[in-house]
Amino acid sequence: MFRRDSRLDSWFFSLLVSTLSRSLFAFAALAKNQTSKGFAPVTIETSRHMYEYVATALDWWHADRYCEQRFSQLLFEPQDSERASFSKLLQSHSIRGSVWLNERDGFLHKPKWRRDHIVPVLVFRDKTDTKYVKVLSDFPALPAVTACAHLQWDTRTQEIATIFSYAVPAFINEFQLRGFVDEEGFVRFALIVHGHHSPYLPVFRADGQWHHFCVTWQQENGTWAIYADGKRRASASGLCAVGPSAPQAIYGQGTFIIGQDQDSLGGTFREKESFSGNITDLHIWQKVLSAEQIEKVRSCWVVEQDLVFGWSSNALEVESTVQEMTAQFLCPGPVEECRVFEAGSSGFSYTSCLQSLPFICRYRKDAYWQLKKAQLESSHSLVSRVNTLAERTVIPENFFTSDIQDMNLSVALGALDVLATVLRGGETPMLESSDLLAVLQLLKQVSDVEVQEGEELEMLEQLGQYYVEVTELILEEQNIETWSSVSQVIRGPMAVVELCDRMVSHLAPLLTAGRTKITIQHGNVGMEVRKLELSRQELSSQAYLVQSPEKGRHDLIEVPTEEVQRLKARGLRRVMVKNMWFGYGSLQRCLSGAGSSAVFQDVAASDGGQKYLSTTVGTAVISSALLSDYQEISTSVRYRLQHHVQDLPDKLVGPICAFWNFSLSPDAGGMWSTAGCSVVTSLPDSTTCFCNHTTNFAVLLQVYEMQRTTKEELTLQTLTFIGCGVSFCALIVTFILFLAVGVPKSERTTVHKNLIFALAAAEALLMFSELAKTNQVVCFMVTACLHLFFMAAFSWMLVEGLLLWSKVVAVNMSEDRRMKFYYVTGWGLPVVIVGVTLATSFNKYVADNHCWLNIQTNVIWAFVGPVLFILAVNTFVLFRVVMVTVSSARRRSKMLTPNSSLENQIGIQIWATAKPILVLLPVLGLTWVCGVLVHLSIIWAYVFIVLNSLQGLYIFLVYAIYNSEVRNAIQRMKDKKKALSFTNCSHPINYLSSPRNTTSWETGKLSPSAAESALPSPVQKDPPVKNITNKGNFGAKIPMGISSIMSPERPAVELTAFKSSVSKQGMLRLFSRRCHPEALQLSSPQWTHEQGRNGGIRE
């Protein structure tokens, strides 16, 4: 292990200390206080904004922080049309040169990466064959590898030196990095893999300074690269690429030695190949890092994904003569280039973000004057008490002229301690606007504190406690009006949430192997940070459970188990989870005020039963974020929040799962959005939501005024259930009749059967859909089936209309082709509509509280749109049929009763109009038109439910009970059964089927042989068949109900009646009379009466 020894040789000690003091990475540190004192910024006013030019040159991060802490923003890029005029405006105020620009996409809105870093440094004083450091880590097979470290080269020698070597039994030189100083003063590196040697190439100058290097290699194509100080210095392919004689990867379970070349496994070192210099921060990954990740590593951040070895004194075996010291130095800042505006030329350019330039802060004009007003009207009571108690200036009295300096941890802790004490004392019942702005300004400074390594972590945890307490105190309800008054200045009340999000990140250093979770809560504000080890065998969901100050109420947000497993599958070893919670209070009330309650979503639809009143934030605000390598990871979350609304009689409250999107309406600080969020379950007192991303969440409650009483709603639900039940039973009976009684096949009966089946299935699902609400999967399936069968029912209603049209207008299409078209329309079209809807709106398909389509999104139009089209088509068809029927009735009336009265003719035309409407309404679905009028009155709601819930019963009555074809088929079945029961007759079946027992329908008489053979005795005689047929009494009279609509020229439309076949019926009647006249007398009294009148049967 490391042996602490400060007795370093003079050369190495002077070299190490001098370079560290000059910033070990050759970056000049900023001055202790970069902000200037006593300068007077130039203020420029335009129609919409106020600009403040700050001549003091700062780097991009300090310039952005300066503007933010004064409640403004760094200058954004002017529009193309405004660029020239803006440049002239600046020049008119003698402003020339380059100024910093803000990034609209927020790319640079990240913490400044320059920070102090404390690490153990290994000192290899001279080249010897004894000094070495062994890495105590089990290495897996490496198909790809990256090794990075910080290095200080000994410039006194030009011999080859081995920085590290990795050996396995199969290859001693399995993976190795060597270097030397060339004659031009450059350090040249060469990489060795499987004994194959790359050329020595220059990577950095041998100047005695610290340099960062990375070497990468991957099995595919043998691609390798060498980076130095963040830039790629050399790269090529073909270094031991995969081939017949080459291994597939760098072998695992080898020995890794720092500072020596292994000529045998773990030993046999040679002095001339040993390393001389200083090395630290060695990390090894089993993958090739990207250039961006290498830049992170250079800036002292550790990439956790696929990390094989991380720099740690506990993972090293150090030879006794190797010296070690703990050093603190300044990490380099990022090498990003920031955009600048050239005031003189109206152009843009890029420069290093670390360069110091003047800048311009931009205020919204109304916010600027509101800020000025708050400053002028301030009594500075809170500020003066805080500064008096602290005996120094903790909070400046003037926002515009005060100097805002960087704080260290100790100063920030003392400032918040004093502020919390004053606020806790309650001497000020309500904060003034200037007081609240001053507190927010201080919180911004504290949230920007850069926690240095080695500082006392107890102070950091105490700082978090004070931060949460101060935040909770300023969010008390008596400050609601104050928050509203400064809302435009701070760009919305969610600004305090954004500040707390910065602060909770500072708690990460408190996490250790023995303490994986830090939770801080004070009243209505809480924050938590936890470390999640993904290398464990058993993984579970990560939940943040918050105990509300109200007894028995809990809020919860969690990362589901499947998401944790997905992160592990991505190769992540550990992640950091940070959570925040803001209980219901002034924050939510401010967010529910004018403007803040706007929701970025589709307009909610209404069924007419309620009237939209308002949207309010009805729960706590809760947030969650996952980070790896200090970068956020996208993952799904599930959260449950308790409702905090008072009972609203005759009001309906509908929950909406939403998150605060800072990028929407940035001038207002953001707005609520529902993208990616959906309601899982909704109870009267809580709502559970699922979102496919992480951020700040809440449940918005949309309040509606009930236009129907609870009793009316119950009545409508009862009518719907009863009506659907009756309709379902009637449809099933009708469907069975069509199948069982032998109704002749035709286009019309086929269409009827498909319509009845689809409508029966839809109504059955509708009756029991409420039972599926508790199961999300079942509810989704029920909704999809309801959508499919209702669309199929309407599609077959459209087919009914098309069939009627084909009877009214001649259609040049064969019956087979027509039926194929009808099936495609009736079943194919609904399948396509439902499939496309599911594919495009899968996550927004189901409504929140019912198993039906979501009426709050455009999904509902996947049903309403086709239905409106079908109703329009069928209305036109019905209009055309009525015209044909009335015209036919008028002509028939003139021919049959030319001298009838005017009243009689009007009655005939009225019946001709009403008859097709009554017959066609149930199959064309035109009763659904009443749904358009539901929102007008409760009466229309009753009419709509009664007409549509009883649609099946109506179809049963019209198309079964009063359908002549169905009744004829039933009568034929009865007659056949009766005929087959007369067993006392000889060979009845042969008689019926005998070709000799025929009737001459041309003459209306039986043939003599048939008549004679049918006689039971020579005495009894039959009346002539001619008399029977001529009287029209051959067979029982069946009420036709609604007959065919005929024109004088040809049959135009047959609605419900069908042509009856009398030949078979006549034969059965004749057979019954011959075999058993007594039975015929009982079953057909009308026939025997006619027979008696015509001299048929004698006593």
Side-chain angles (χ1 to χ4, degrees):
M1 298 303 168
F2 278 110
R3 181 172 52 83
R4 306 288 177 177
D5 189 356
S6 60
R7 297 174 297 162
L8 301 177
D9 288 358
S10 59
W11 180 85
F12 271 95
F13 184 79
S14 60
L15 176 64
L16 193 60
V17 173
S18 62
T19 53
L20 286 175
S21 63
R22 296 196 307 268
S23 177
L24 296 177
F25 299 102
F27 283 92
L30 293 173
K32 184 177 182 180
N33 178 16
Q34 285 189 303
T35 58
S36 64
K37 297 182 180 182
F39 63 85
V42 178
T43 302
I44 305 172
E45 182 177 357
T46 63
S47 59
R48 293 187 302 169
H49 296 97
M50 299 291 295
Y51 297 93
E52 182 182 87
Y53 173 75
V54 182
T56 302
L58 301 176
D59 64 31
W60 189 94
W61 282 273
H62 278 83
D64 182 62
R65 184 181 304 175
Y66 177 98
C67 295
E68 183 188 18
Q69 290 180 346
R70 283 169 172 77
F71 305 102
S72 61
Q73 294 175 294
L74 197 61
L75 176 66
F76 282 98
E77 175 185 339
Q79 300 293 333
D80 292 341
S81 58
E82 302 174 352
R83 189 179 303 173
S85 59
F86 187 75
S87 179
K88 292 180 180 178
L89 181 63
L90 295 180
Q91 293 179 31
S92 65
H93 289 78
S94 302
I95 299 174
R96 294 178 176 82
S98 302
V99 293
W100 288 122
L101 279 178
N102 208 339
E103 296 288 343
R104 290 187 181 275
D105 58 2
F107 174 69
L108 290 169
H109 282 253
K110 62 182 74 172
K112 190 178 64 173
W113 286 5
R114 296 188 57 164
R115 63 191 183 96
D116 289 339
H117 188 44
I118 299 175
V119 287
V121 178
L122 299 178
V123 180
F124 293 85
R125 184 172 59 88
D126 293 314
K127 295 174 70 71
T128 68
D129 59 359
T130 58
K131 288 182 171 63
Y132 75 93
V133 176
K134 182 180 179 180
V135 174
L136 303 176
S137 180
D138 293 331
F139 287 87
L142 301 173
V145 64
T146 300
C148 298
H150 289 103
L151 189 72
Q152 197 174 29
W153 198 271
D154 184 358
T155 58
R156 298 176 300 171
T157 177
Q158 293 184 337
E159 294 179 344
I160 291 177
T162 304
I163 296 95
F164 62 77
S165 63
Y166 176 73
V168 295
F171 283 97
I172 298 301
N173 295 327
E174 178 71 354
F175 179 48
Q176 189 176 128
L177 180 64
R178 293 184 170 190
F180 72 93
V181 180
D182 63 13
E183 296 178 352
E184 298 179 354
F186 284 94
V187 177
R188 291 176 174 263
F189 278 177
L191 188 63
I192 300 174
V193 179
H194 300 316
H196 294 261
H197 205 297
S198 75
Y200 283 97
L201 297 172
V203 289
F204 56 82
R205 185 171 292 277
D207 52 8
Q209 302 294 326
W210 283 89
H211 295 276
H212 179 262
F213 75 86
C214 287
V215 293
T216 68
W217 176 86
Q218 59 182 347
Q219 165 196 345
E220 184 179 358
N221 299 326
T223 304
W224 59 276
I226 299 177
Y227 294 80
D229 298 327
K231 295 183 180 180
R232 180 182 295 183
R233 304 296 183 180
S235 62
S237 59
L239 181 59
C240 195
V242 175
S245 61
Q248 295 297 309
I250 295 175
Y251 289 122
Q253 306 305 316
T255 302
F256 197 102
I257 299 294
I258 301 174
Q260 292 287 356
D261 176 22
Q262 306 174 61
D263 287 341
S264 64
L265 188 63
T268 314
F269 307 137
R270 291 189 291 179
E271 177 182 334
K272 65 177 183 178
E273 295 180 342
S274 64
F275 172 69
S276 177
N278 306 319
I279 189 170
T280 186
D281 259 2
L282 174 66
H283 293 80
I284 302 171
W285 295 265
Q286 57 179 346
K287 71 170 185 177
V288 174
L289 296 186
S290 65
E292 181 182 0
Q293 290 173 320
I294 288 175
E295 175 58 25
K296 283 185 182 181
V297 174
R298 187 182 78 91
S299 302
C300 309
W301 297 110
V302 178
V303 177
E304 298 285 351
Q305 187 174 357
D306 295 323
L307 182 65
V308 176
F309 169 72
W311 189 248
S312 172
S313 59
N314 297 325
L316 297 175
E317 178 186 305
V318 183
E319 192 269 332
S320 59
T321 60
V322 176
Q323 298 172 337
E324 177 268 337
M325 69 173 293
T326 299
Q328 178 176 350
F329 53 87
L330 187 66
C331 289
V335 296
E336 289 111 342
E337 292 186 335
C338 297
R339 207 171 192 189
V340 297
F341 178 67
E342 303 294 342
S345 61
S346 304
F348 299 96
S349 62
Y350 288 87
T351 188
S352 171
C353 299
L354 293 172
Q355 185 175 340
S356 296
L357 292 175
F359 55 94
I360 297 175
C361 296
R362 189 190 74 171
Y363 297 84
R364 286 191 322 182
K365 199 168 184 178
D366 53 352
Y368 180 85
W369 292 116
Q370 192 174 14
L371 191 62
K372 282 285 191 181
K373 179 181 178 182
Q375 180 67 32
L376 293 174
E377 296 178 354
S378 173
S379 64
H380 305 296
S381 58
L382 176 69
V383 174
S384 60
R385 285 201 308 274
V386 170
N387 293 337
T388 301
L389 184 60
E391 297 181 350
R392 61 184 180 87
T393 302
V394 174
I395 303 178
E397 294 185 354
N398 192 304
F399 312 120
F400 296 99
T401 61
S402 60
D403 297 325
I404 301 176
Q405 302 181 6
D406 291 339
M407 282 187 174
N408 57 35
L409 186 58
S410 177
V411 173
L413 182 61
L416 285 189
D417 185 9
V418 174
L419 178 59
T421 301
V422 173
L423 292 174
R424 200 185 306 125
E427 297 180 12
T428 305
M430 185 180 70
L431 292 176
E432 296 180 357
S433 298
S434 60
D435 293 337
L436 181 57
L437 292 174
V439 173
L440 291 175
Q441 190 180 62
L442 179 61
L443 291 178
K444 287 185 179 184
Q445 287 182 268
V446 175
S447 65
D448 288 332
V449 166
E450 296 181 5
V451 180
Q452 306 298 339
E453 296 183 18
E455 292 189 283
E456 297 182 13
L457 297 183
E458 293 79 6
M459 295 173 58
L460 179 59
E461 186 170 3
Q462 188 62 47
L463 180 68
Q465 295 279 0
Y466 285 146
Y467 200 98
V468 170
E469 182 179 2
V470 170
T471 303
E472 199 272 338
L473 290 170
I474 64 175
L475 286 175
E476 289 182 346
E477 295 199 18
Q478 66 264 24
N479 297 320
I480 293 178
E481 293 183 7
T482 308
W483 279 100
S484 301
S485 65
V486 300
S487 179
Q488 292 184 355
V489 176
I490 63 176
R491 294 196 300 277
M494 287 295 287
V496 70
V497 177
E498 195 172 16
L499 292 178
C500 289
D501 182 68
R502 295 186 198 174
M503 184 61 211
V504 72
S505 300
H506 290 325
L507 302 179
L510 294 172
L511 300 175
T512 61
R515 191 182 185 189
T516 59
K517 182 175 70 173
I518 306 296
T519 302
I520 299 174
Q521 182 172 346
H522 193 285
N524 271 334
V525 179
M527 59 177 60
E528 179 193 80
V529 59
R530 67 173 64 191
K531 181 171 62 175
L532 177 60
E533 294 289 345
L534 301 180
S535 57
R536 294 180 301 172
Q537 295 296 327
E538 296 183 1
L539 297 175
S540 60
S541 62
Q542 298 299 309
Y544 174 44
L545 182 65
V546 185
Q547 173 68 51
S548 174
E550 301 178 25
K551 186 177 180 180
R553 299 177 71 90
H554 297 83
D555 291 328
L556 169 74
I557 188 168
E558 65 175 349
V559 181
T561 305
E562 55 271 19
E563 286 294 315
V564 179
Q565 293 173 342
R566 183 180 64 85
L567 296 176
K568 181 179 180 180
R570 288 175 51 185
L572 298 177
R573 297 177 59 189
R574 67 180 61 88
V575 295
M576 184 179 74
V577 185
K578 58 180 184 178
N579 301 305
M580 294 187 301
W581 175 81
F582 296 85
Y584 191 80
S586 59
L587 174 65
Q588 285 78 2
R589 288 181 172 84
C590 290
L591 289 171
S592 299
S596 298
S597 61
V599 186
F600 187 74
Q601 64 166 2
D602 295 321
V603 178
S606 173
D607 64 353
Q610 62 262 359
K611 178 183 178 182
Y612 172 76
L613 294 180
S614 63
T615 298
T616 181
V617 182
T619 65
V621 175
I622 198 166
S623 70
S624 183
L626 273 71
L627 296 94
S628 176
D629 304 329
Y630 298 91
Q631 296 292 317
E632 285 200 15
I633 307 170
S634 176
T635 184
S636 301
V637 295
R638 185 184 296 112
Y639 63 94
R640 185 191 69 234
L641 297 176
Q642 301 292 324
H643 298 170
H644 292 265
V645 291
Q646 298 177 350
D647 293 335
L648 301 173
D650 298 330
K651 299 291 189 299
L652 177 66
V653 178
I656 299 176
C657 297
F659 70 97
W660 188 264
N661 191 334
F662 288 96
S663 62
L664 295 176
S665 185
D667 287 340
M671 64 184 300
W672 293 109
S673 174
T674 60
C677 295
S678 60
V679 174
V680 178
T681 58
S682 180
L683 301 175
D685 62 341
S686 66
T687 296
T688 302
C689 301
F690 175 84
C691 290
N692 58 12
H693 51 80
T694 55
T695 184
N696 305 294
F697 303 102
V699 175
L700 308 183
L701 301 179
Q702 286 190 328
V703 182
Y704 297 89
E705 180 182 5
M706 296 300 298
Q707 294 182 332
R708 303 172 192 151
T709 64
T710 304
K711 183 177 180 180
E712 289 173 339
E713 287 289 341
L714 181 61
T715 303
L716 291 174
Q717 291 178 4
T718 304
L719 284 176
T720 300
F721 189 84
I722 295 175
C724 286
V726 173
S727 182
F728 174 76
C729 295
L731 289 170
I732 292 298
V733 172
T734 306
F735 190 76
I736 294 174
L737 283 175
F738 271 101
L739 294 178
V741 302
V743 177
K745 292 183 178 180
S746 66
E747 285 182 319
R748 181 171 52 254
T749 56
T750 301
V751 173
H752 286 347
K753 284 187 286 186
N754 280 277
L755 171 60
I756 291 169
F757 174 78
L759 198 57
E763 292 193 351
L765 285 170
L766 182 62
M767 284 191 295
F768 299 101
S769 61
E770 288 295 308
L771 301 178
K773 288 196 304 183
T774 56
N775 190 307
Q776 187 177 7
V777 176
V778 176
C779 186
F780 188 94
M781 296 176 62
V782 168
T783 300
C785 292
L786 274 173
H787 190 192
L788 176 64
F789 284 114
F790 267 118
M791 280 308 311
F794 276 97
S795 297
W796 282 106
M797 293 177 195
L798 176 63
V799 172
E800 293 274 6
L802 297 176
L803 180 62
L804 282 172
W805 182 259
S806 68
K807 302 298 182 181
V808 176
V809 179
V811 178
N812 187 20
M813 184 184 295
S814 65
E815 183 175 344
D816 290 340
R817 291 179 62 189
R818 279 204 306 269
M819 285 310 303
K820 290 179 181 179
F821 173 72
Y822 292 159
Y823 274 111
V824 170
T825 303
W827 292 111
L829 185 61
V831 170
V832 171
I833 292 174
V834 174
V836 171
T837 307
L838 287 173
T840 56
S841 305
F842 188 84
N843 294 327
K844 302 178 181 178
Y845 189 69
V846 183
D848 293 336
N849 301 317
H850 302 284
C851 296
W852 180 234
L853 300 179
N854 193 344
I855 64 172
Q856 295 181 345
T857 64
N858 289 327
V859 171
I860 190 62
W861 288 101
F863 176 74
V864 174
V867 167
L868 291 177
F869 172 76
I870 291 170
L871 294 180
V873 172
N874 284 354
T875 301
F876 177 76
V877 170
L878 179 62
F879 178 74
R880 181 70 175 131
V881 169
V882 169
M883 289 180 60
V884 171
T885 305
V886 172
S887 176
S888 176
R890 185 184 300 112
R891 290 194 298 269
R892 186 184 301 110
S893 175
K894 289 181 178 180
M895 288 188 300
L896 297 178
T897 56
N899 298 322
S900 63
S901 63
L902 179 62
E903 292 80 4
N904 188 27
Q905 292 181 6
I906 294 175
I908 292 174
Q909 292 188 14
I910 292 176
W911 174 241
T913 303
K915 183 168 59 176
I917 293 176
L918 293 174
V919 173
L920 296 177
L921 276 179
V923 294
L924 296 184
L926 298 182
T927 53
W928 284 74
V929 176
C930 297
V932 181
L933 308 175
V934 163
H935 69 284
L936 298 179
S937 172
I938 186 65
I939 297 176
W940 284 109
Y942 285 118
V943 172
F944 176 73
I945 288 179
V946 169
L947 288 179
N948 288 283
S949 61
L950 299 180
Q951 186 178 11
L953 180 61
Y954 198 34
I955 290 176
F956 170 71
L957 293 174
V958 175
Y959 292 91
I961 299 300
Y962 292 107
N963 188 335
S964 60
E965 188 173 33
V966 174
R967 297 179 62 171
N968 286 340
I970 294 174
Q971 188 62 48
R972 286 195 299 269
M973 291 180 63
K974 289 180 179 179
D975 291 343
K976 183 176 180 180
K977 182 177 180 180
K978 193 181 299 180
L980 294 177
S981 67
F982 298 149
T983 56
N984 59 335
C985 297
S986 60
H987 308 293
I989 302 300
N990 291 337
Y991 176 83
L992 288 173
S993 59
S994 173
R996 290 175 297 144
N997 299 334
T998 59
T999 300
S1000 176
W1001 302 111
E1002 290 80 3
T1003 62
K1005 298 180 180 180
L1006 290 171
S1007 63
S1009 59
E1012 292 174 0
S1013 62
L1015 289 172
S1017 66
V1019 179
Q1020 185 177 3
K1021 293 189 178 181
D1022 300 325
V1025 176
K1026 181 177 180 180
N1027 294 337
I1028 299 172
T1029 56
N1030 288 342
K1031 292 293 181 180
N1033 294 320
F1034 189 80
K1037 287 186 178 181
I1038 300 176
M1040 297 302 289
I1042 301 174
S1043 60
S1044 303
I1045 301 174
M1046 306 287 290
S1047 65
E1049 296 80 12
R1050 64 178 181 89
V1053 182
E1054 292 183 338
L1055 297 177
T1056 60
F1058 300 86
K1059 292 182 179 180
S1060 60
S1061 174
V1062 298
S1063 59
K1064 185 177 179 181
Q1065 184 181 11
M1067 295 297 293
L1068 287 173
R1069 292 280 182 180
L1070 182 61
F1071 171 76
S1072 299
R1073 184 176 68 83
R1074 294 286 187 181
C1075 291
H1076 210 296
E1078 293 82 6
L1080 188 59
Q1081 289 176 8
L1082 295 175
S1083 63
S1084 184
Q1086 189 174 2
W1087 188 87
T1088 56
H1089 173 71
E1090 292 292 335
Q1091 186 184 31
R1093 275 195 339 172
N1094 292 282
I1097 297 178
R1098 300 285 187 269
E1099 291 293 313

